[in-house]
Amino acid sequence: MRVTSLSLRNFKCYGEAELGLENGVTVVHGVNGSGKSTLLEGVFFALYGSKALDDRTLGDVITTGEDETEVELSFTHAGVDYHIHRVVKRRGDRATTTTCILETPEGDIEGARDVRAEVTRLLRMDADAFVNCAYVRQGEVNKLIHASPRERQDMIDDLLQLGALEEYRERASEARLGVKDVLDRQEGRLEQLREQIDTKEAKNLHERLNGLESRRNELIEEIEEYDTHRQAAEETLESARDTLERHEETQEEIQELTEEIDSLRSKITDSESTRESLLETLSDLESQREALGDERETLLEDLDLAVVPEGGDDSETEGDAETVQEAIDRLEEEEDDLRDRLEEVKVEIERVTGEIERLRERADELEADAEAATEEAADIEESIAEDEAALTDREADLEDLEVAIEDKREQFAAAPIDFGEAADRRAELESEREEVNQHLADVSAKIDATEASIEEGEALLEEGKCPECGQPVADSPHVDVLEERRETLSTLESQREDHRERLETVDERLERATELADLETAVERLEERRETAEQLISQRREAIEERRNRHEAALERARECSEEATAKREQADEHETELAEARKRLGSINSERATLRERLETLERIAEITRRVQDLEREADGVREKRANTAELIEERRTRLTEKRDQKRDLEAEFDAGRLEAAKEELRNAEAYLEQVEPKLAALEESREGVQNAIGAVENELEELENLRTDLEGVTARCDRLQSLYDEAETLQTTYGELRAELRQRNVETLERLLNETFDLVYQNDSYAAIELDGEYRLTVYQKDGEALEPEQLSGGERALFNLSLRCAIYRLLAEGVEGAAPMPPLILDEPTVFLDSGHVTQLVSLIESMRQLGVEQIVVVSHDEELVGAADDLVRVEKDATSNRSRLERGEPPEASLLAGD
């Protein structure tokens, strides 16, 4: 794919913009914030619409203050021209796509979804795949390196369309289930046909045909008589034709014999050459045999071993081998004896060494046990002293508790209640206090109501109304009611004062009861502490007695371990002398064994030479036999050559002109008779068919029966085929799963190779040796010293170059490895220098140049870096008007072009 032109109207910061793109490297240059990246977003939006906006809405692409935006994109793909036209309009708070058309050679495609689907089909990638492969957006240069292996695997699998294989596998599974349904239905049909056939066979149809068949048989006999005469004429006709055809075949046989004669002559010549070659091979084998014989004689002289001289007959050679083998067997027996002695000495050394180590280890353990027991005794003695001091303190505390308990009990002597009754007395007083409070509250409520009634009555009285009924005073019988209410109020106030005095008395008694109850609780706690102290004193005394027993046992154990350790070390010293003698015997046996091994190796070489000589003799005999067989073959072929020549002469003399003429006459007579007999036979056949029509009804019944049987066979065969198809679908389902895994592994290997090639091309230093991509898509960078690094451990610039190399490697993999060469979209890099210093920017330029050399037709780079301008074939400058805040495009010349123009 190659983008040819982009047109924007009211798209973000652009009012009107037209941009044409050519092959090669196009650099879009300008200061930060000028609108460079918006051009790339315009291309992306034209291709994929709303899917190119991430979390943004369609309204975000319309220029502020405008109601619609228009984007047009022209591109070529696989040699075919395409054009996309999109219009987005703002309607209220929402923006919608009002026009979306893709112009293709086959016709226009309309609608945002259909256009996006067609673009996805053409490019073989959706919006996510486009971003993961061809479009490196600003700030996402490290996207692949920060992705998990699983996320990276899904990205690359989608780019390589391996997800289709999983879809095919699911389709195969659905097909398998569909075949199973059809198979079940056919098996039901099979059972139905069997029932129908059983019903037909129960009818006796053949007896109804007997009478009609008798007449038909008479006609058949007459037809057969004429047919016999016709067959005789046909045989005559066939014989004549055979004679003529035999003449033609004879001519062909003569030609074949001529070719066979030429072939036999060539084979005889080849066999004679082979026989000469075998003679040379035989001479080489004899030379090897003589050289091995000389080596054998030299070895025998070194050993001073008497054997049969080389060159004797087979029985002498066998005797020689037996003599050598006897010497080998004798030496091997001696070696086995030495090996046994050696093993015995080794076992003895190992046993003594083990015993010494065991004794010394045991002595160390015993000494350590003695030291530990001594330390334990000291610790126990110290603990006993501490426990005795603590016991004295606890006994003093117990005495203090006894005094405190007695003091508090004495406080109950002047109390109105006995010790233990305070809690119950407090509960009774609390209940009484609650009752007094309730009476006080009731009286207070009545006082409030009476006071309110008096105030209301006084107000009515001032108005000249009865304070009881509200009638005028002159007519009311209740004018004196206020005085009664005041008397009631006085009585209630007196009752309230009595209740308050009683409440104060109850509170005083309750406070005293509470103090006594608290005193009882304090005594109970002191008694509990006293009981606990007595238990602790008893436990402490028992612990002191137990520690004294342990102290004596530890001292006794330390003495016993020390004595036993001394005895073990004395035994180990005695075994050291025995070990020295065994090692001396081991050295002597090893010396004898080395000498014996040298003689044994020499004898084995002699035996090997003897076997090789015998093999050479057998091989020479085989070559001699092949020469004899070749000679016989040559003689046999010469005999066959003579026979073929004789056959050719006989065939040439087999036919004469008179015999050929007679055959032609018989052919003409037979053809004339056959022309006459055919009409007669046709008339008889017509009569037979009339009889046959009379029994048509019965035959129809029989035919239906046969049809049912045929259907039965067909359904049976169909069931077999469906079962086979079911098995094939199941196999296909498995195959798709295995194929996806295999293709993924192949893609991993290819991607690893392309990644290393690309990284080596742009990062030429000695720090890193290779990059590894395993089957789970995990990335590892190896330094020259072999140390493995995670890509995140690289410097910022190195990590950016690494990721750009990975992106370019994926791009190359897609271009080279998906169904052959694929027409890829342009490689688009948006601000790739964000994380790069000047040195790494130079390497980025090298990467861009390398992608050009590898066949990438179109590369678009957006950057504010001046150094990238030098890599451009075409330069586009972007500037923003500070007043209108609108961006505009201006064509520029790359530095190289400017220099050429100046020259």
Side-chain angles (χ1 to χ4, degrees):
M1 172 192 173
R2 182 174 68 83
V3 176
T4 55
S5 67
L6 173 67
S7 175
L8 302 176
R9 183 174 65 84
N10 296 332
F11 186 86
K12 290 192 172 183
C13 59
Y14 288 93
E16 296 280 347
E18 297 281 343
L19 176 63
L21 296 174
E22 301 294 337
N23 284 351
V25 179
T26 298
V27 174
V28 180
H29 184 264
V31 299
N32 288 335
S34 59
K36 305 183 297 299
S37 299
T38 303
L39 291 175
L40 304 184
E41 293 173 0
V43 174
F44 193 26
F45 176 76
L47 291 171
Y48 295 101
S50 61
K51 295 296 182 182
L53 300 180
D54 293 332
D55 296 330
R56 294 170 295 173
T57 65
L58 288 172
D60 294 334
V61 303
I62 302 176
T63 302
T64 303
E66 301 293 339
D67 294 327
E68 69 175 28
T69 184
E70 184 176 8
V71 179
E72 295 187 60
L73 179 72
S74 298
F75 63 95
T76 62
H77 182 73
V80 179
D81 293 332
Y82 296 87
H83 182 80
I84 297 177
H85 181 207
R86 290 181 184 268
V87 177
V88 177
K89 291 186 178 180
R90 195 192 311 274
R91 292 174 177 173
D93 295 333
R94 293 187 58 200
T96 58
T97 301
T98 58
T99 302
C100 185
I101 300 174
L102 171 62
E103 299 174 6
T104 73
E106 291 78 19
D108 293 349
I109 297 174
E110 297 185 3
R113 287 187 179 179
D114 293 341
V115 169
R116 183 166 57 248
E118 181 62 14
V119 170
T120 300
R121 186 192 67 80
L122 286 173
L123 302 185
R124 291 196 292 225
M125 58 180 72
D126 58 14
D128 290 338
F130 189 84
V131 170
N132 290 331
C133 174
Y135 181 18
V136 182
R137 293 195 289 190
Q138 184 173 350
E140 292 185 355
V141 67
N142 290 332
K143 181 178 180 181
L144 280 175
I145 196 173
H146 290 152
S148 67
R150 178 64 183 175
E151 292 170 343
R152 195 177 300 118
Q153 181 185 86
D154 291 341
M155 291 178 191
I156 298 175
D157 279 359
D158 289 343
L159 289 171
L160 297 173
Q161 300 183 10
L162 294 185
L165 291 176
E166 178 63 18
E167 180 182 350
Y168 297 156
R169 188 188 68 79
E170 293 175 356
R171 289 181 182 177
S173 177
E174 295 172 357
R176 177 176 60 83
L177 297 176
V179 170
K180 181 61 177 175
D181 293 339
V182 176
L183 178 59
D184 292 341
R185 290 195 297 271
Q186 289 299 314
E187 287 176 346
R189 171 64 176 158
L190 188 66
E191 186 62 28
Q192 182 182 6
L193 287 173
R194 286 173 179 159
E195 293 176 357
Q196 292 176 355
I197 290 172
D198 291 341
T199 302
K200 289 286 185 184
E201 288 178 346
K203 298 178 181 180
N204 193 2
L205 299 175
H206 293 284
E207 290 183 0
R208 297 160 58 187
L209 294 175
N210 289 338
L212 294 171
E213 286 180 346
S214 297
R215 174 57 185 157
R216 185 184 60 185
N217 291 339
E218 292 174 359
L219 290 171
I220 289 174
E221 289 176 359
E222 189 175 359
I223 290 171
E224 288 177 349
E225 182 179 355
Y226 280 101
D227 192 53
T228 300
H229 297 310
R230 185 182 65 179
Q231 289 179 2
E234 289 176 346
E235 290 175 357
T236 301
L237 180 66
E238 187 67 25
S239 176
R241 286 175 177 169
D242 288 344
T243 300
L244 296 174
E245 290 175 358
R246 175 59 183 159
H247 178 262
E248 294 177 358
E249 292 173 357
T250 300
Q251 296 301 317
E252 294 176 358
E253 289 181 13
I254 291 172
Q255 180 63 31
E256 291 176 358
L257 287 170
T258 302
E259 294 174 357
E260 290 179 3
I261 289 170
D262 294 339
S263 175
L264 285 171
R265 287 173 178 167
S266 175
K267 290 179 179 179
I268 290 170
T269 301
D270 293 341
S271 296
E272 288 175 346
S273 299
T274 300
R275 195 163 180 270
E276 290 299 323
S277 175
L278 290 172
L279 181 60
E280 294 176 0
T281 302
L282 185 61
S283 176
D284 293 340
L285 293 174
E286 289 293 339
S287 298
Q288 294 180 35
R289 182 174 175 276
E290 291 175 0
L292 289 172
D294 294 341
E295 181 182 355
R296 174 176 167 276
E297 289 300 326
T298 301
L299 295 173
L300 288 172
E301 289 175 1
D302 294 341
L303 287 177
D304 193 19
L305 183 66
V307 295
V308 178
E310 182 64 27
D313 57 20
D314 293 342
S315 61
E316 291 175 344
T317 303
E318 292 175 0
D320 183 1
E322 291 176 0
T323 302
V324 172
Q325 187 59 45
E326 288 174 359
I328 291 174
D329 293 342
R330 185 172 62 257
L331 290 177
E332 286 180 345
E333 289 176 1
E334 294 178 10
E335 185 183 23
D336 290 342
D337 182 59
L338 287 174
R339 187 184 298 110
D340 293 341
R341 289 167 56 196
L342 184 66
E343 290 300 324
E344 291 174 358
V345 173
K346 285 182 178 179
V347 170
E348 183 178 358
I349 291 173
E350 184 176 352
R351 180 186 62 77
V352 174
T353 302
E355 183 65 17
I356 292 171
E357 291 177 353
R358 186 187 64 78
L359 288 170
R360 287 179 174 163
E361 287 175 358
R362 181 56 182 158
D364 292 340
E365 292 173 358
L366 290 169
E367 289 174 350
D369 290 345
E371 184 177 354
T374 302
E375 293 176 355
E376 182 183 357
D379 293 340
I380 292 172
E381 186 175 1
E382 184 178 349
S383 297
I384 290 172
E386 293 174 355
D387 287 344
E388 289 176 343
L391 179 61
T392 301
D393 293 339
R394 290 192 180 277
E395 289 174 344
D397 292 340
L398 181 59
E399 293 177 358
D400 293 339
L401 288 173
E402 292 286 356
V403 172
I405 291 171
E406 188 61 29
D407 291 343
K408 290 186 182 296
R409 281 184 174 274
E410 288 178 354
Q411 295 181 29
F412 274 88
I417 57 176
D418 296 332
F419 182 81
E421 298 177 354
D424 293 338
R425 181 59 179 165
R426 180 176 60 184
E428 292 174 359
L429 291 171
E430 286 177 346
S431 178
E432 184 179 353
R433 183 178 184 276
E434 183 178 354
E435 181 182 350
V436 172
N437 273 326
Q438 182 63 41
H439 289 317
L440 181 61
D442 292 341
V443 171
S444 296
K446 290 178 181 180
I447 290 172
D448 293 340
T450 301
E451 288 177 344
S453 177
I454 291 172
E455 290 177 359
E456 182 181 359
E458 290 175 345
L460 289 172
L461 190 60
E462 289 178 359
E463 294 175 1
K465 295 181 181 180
C466 177
E468 176 70 19
C469 61
Q471 297 177 7
V473 174
D475 300 328
S476 176
H478 305 295
V479 176
D480 299 330
V481 72
L482 283 177
E483 190 61 31
E484 295 176 0
R485 291 177 181 174
R486 290 188 183 98
E487 291 177 358
T488 301
L489 177 61
S490 177
T491 302
L492 290 173
E493 288 176 345
S494 176
Q495 291 176 2
R496 181 170 63 180
E497 189 63 28
D498 293 341
H499 287 310
R500 285 174 177 172
E501 290 175 357
R502 183 183 174 193
L503 181 62
E504 290 177 0
T505 302
V506 172
D507 284 342
E508 291 174 357
R509 292 161 62 194
L510 178 61
E511 182 179 358
R512 178 56 179 163
T514 301
E515 291 175 356
L516 293 174
D518 293 341
L519 192 60
E520 285 181 350
T521 302
V523 171
E524 290 174 357
R525 290 175 181 170
L526 289 172
E527 288 176 343
E528 290 176 358
R529 289 175 58 191
R530 179 180 63 185
E531 184 179 355
T532 302
E534 290 173 348
Q535 293 176 355
L536 291 174
I537 289 171
S538 176
Q539 292 174 359
R540 182 70 67 179
R541 287 171 178 164
E542 293 174 358
I544 291 172
E545 185 62 27
E546 187 268 335
R547 282 195 173 94
R548 286 188 178 126
N549 295 333
R550 285 172 54 203
H551 178 263
E552 293 176 1
L555 291 175
E556 179 63 22
R557 187 166 66 255
R559 183 186 60 78
E560 292 175 353
C561 289
S562 179
E563 292 175 356
E564 188 177 353
T566 301
K568 296 294 183 185
R569 292 198 181 278
E570 290 174 355
Q571 292 177 17
D573 294 339
E574 292 173 0
H575 284 301
E576 284 290 350
T577 303
E578 184 181 351
L579 180 61
E581 293 176 357
R583 286 175 174 164
K584 184 176 181 181
R585 292 199 306 275
L586 180 65
S588 175
I589 293 171
N590 280 330
S591 178
E592 291 180 34
R593 194 177 176 208
T595 302
L596 183 63
R597 190 63 206 166
E598 290 178 359
R599 290 178 58 81
L600 183 59
E601 290 175 355
T602 302
L603 284 172
E604 288 175 346
R605 176 56 183 162
I606 292 172
E608 181 184 355
I609 290 173
T610 302
R611 289 192 297 271
R612 179 57 182 158
V613 168
Q614 291 173 350
D615 292 342
L616 289 173
E617 289 175 350
R618 284 192 292 272
E619 190 173 351
D621 292 340
V623 172
R624 293 188 189 97
E625 184 177 354
K626 286 182 180 179
R627 288 192 78 241
N629 292 338
T630 303
E632 293 176 1
L633 182 61
I634 291 172
E635 187 60 30
E636 179 184 346
R637 286 173 175 168
R638 285 174 176 163
T639 302
R640 288 174 59 199
L641 179 61
T642 300
E643 292 174 354
K644 295 295 181 182
R645 288 172 175 166
D646 293 342
Q647 290 178 15
K648 181 181 177 185
R649 284 194 293 270
D650 292 341
L651 289 172
E652 289 173 345
E654 183 175 348
F655 284 91
D656 56 15
R659 185 177 176 186
L660 286 175
E661 190 60 34
K664 291 178 182 179
E665 181 64 25
E666 290 177 353
L667 179 64
R668 286 192 293 270
N669 293 336
E671 289 175 344
Y673 177 77
L674 289 173
E675 289 178 0
Q676 297 173 3
V677 78
E678 288 298 335
K680 181 62 176 176
L681 284 172
L684 291 172
E685 285 290 342
E686 185 176 355
S687 298
R688 184 180 65 81
E689 289 175 0
V691 174
Q692 187 68 37
N693 291 334
I695 59 174
V698 177
E699 288 180 340
N700 287 338
E701 289 276 346
L702 293 173
E703 184 178 358
E704 290 176 2
L705 179 59
E706 289 302 319
N707 289 338
L708 288 173
R709 289 171 176 163
T710 302
D711 291 345
L712 178 65
E713 294 176 356
V715 174
T716 302
R718 193 174 302 114
C719 287
D720 294 339
R721 290 194 299 272
L722 286 170
Q723 183 63 49
S724 175
L725 184 60
Y726 177 86
D727 295 339
E728 290 175 0
E730 190 171 34
T731 302
L732 185 61
Q733 179 182 353
T734 303
T735 301
Y736 278 130
E738 295 172 349
L739 179 59
R740 183 186 183 193
E742 178 183 352
L743 289 176
R744 177 181 292 160
Q745 182 58 37
R746 285 165 52 188
N747 291 332
V748 166
E749 295 170 357
T750 304
L751 182 57
E752 182 184 51
R753 173 179 60 81
L754 295 174
L755 175 57
N756 277 280
E757 290 176 1
T758 306
F759 192 73
D760 290 343
L761 194 64
V762 302
Y763 199 78
Q764 300 172 352
N765 72 13
D766 296 328
S767 298
Y768 305 107
I771 301 171
E772 181 184 56
L773 179 66
D774 66 11
E776 300 299 326
Y777 288 79
R778 283 188 293 267
L779 289 161
T780 305
V781 181
Y782 288 94
Q783 299 187 82
K784 291 294 184 180
D785 58 2
E787 182 180 358
L789 297 176
E790 295 294 333
E792 288 86 352
Q793 295 178 274
L794 301 175
S795 68
E798 291 171 338
R799 189 161 59 248
L801 282 178
F802 176 90
N803 279 277
L804 287 171
S805 299
L806 178 58
R807 289 294 191 104
C808 292
I810 293 173
Y811 187 98
R812 290 178 58 192
L813 176 63
L814 292 176
E816 300 173 6
V818 180
E819 300 177 2
M824 295 293 291
L827 180 59
I828 303 173
L829 305 177
D830 189 1
E831 293 289 358
T833 63
V834 171
F835 303 101
L836 302 181
D837 56 22
S838 59
H840 288 121
V841 171
T842 302
Q843 292 170 326
L844 173 61
V845 173
S846 300
L847 174 61
I848 294 172
E849 185 61 28
S850 67
M851 294 304 291
R852 290 183 57 188
Q853 296 172 1
L854 291 170
V856 181
E857 291 185 359
Q858 193 173 53
I859 300 175
V860 180
V861 182
V862 165
S863 178
H864 63 277
D865 195 293
E866 293 289 340
E867 186 172 352
L868 283 179
V869 175
D873 299 315
D874 193 13
L875 180 62
V876 177
R877 298 190 183 277
V878 181
E879 296 179 355
K880 179 174 284 189
D881 190 312
T883 302
S884 64
N885 204 28
R886 295 288 185 266
S887 298
R888 64 175 181 271
L889 304 179
E890 178 180 330
R891 284 285 179 179
E893 290 185 346
E896 292 81 359
S898 300
L899 292 174
L900 291 174
D903 292 340

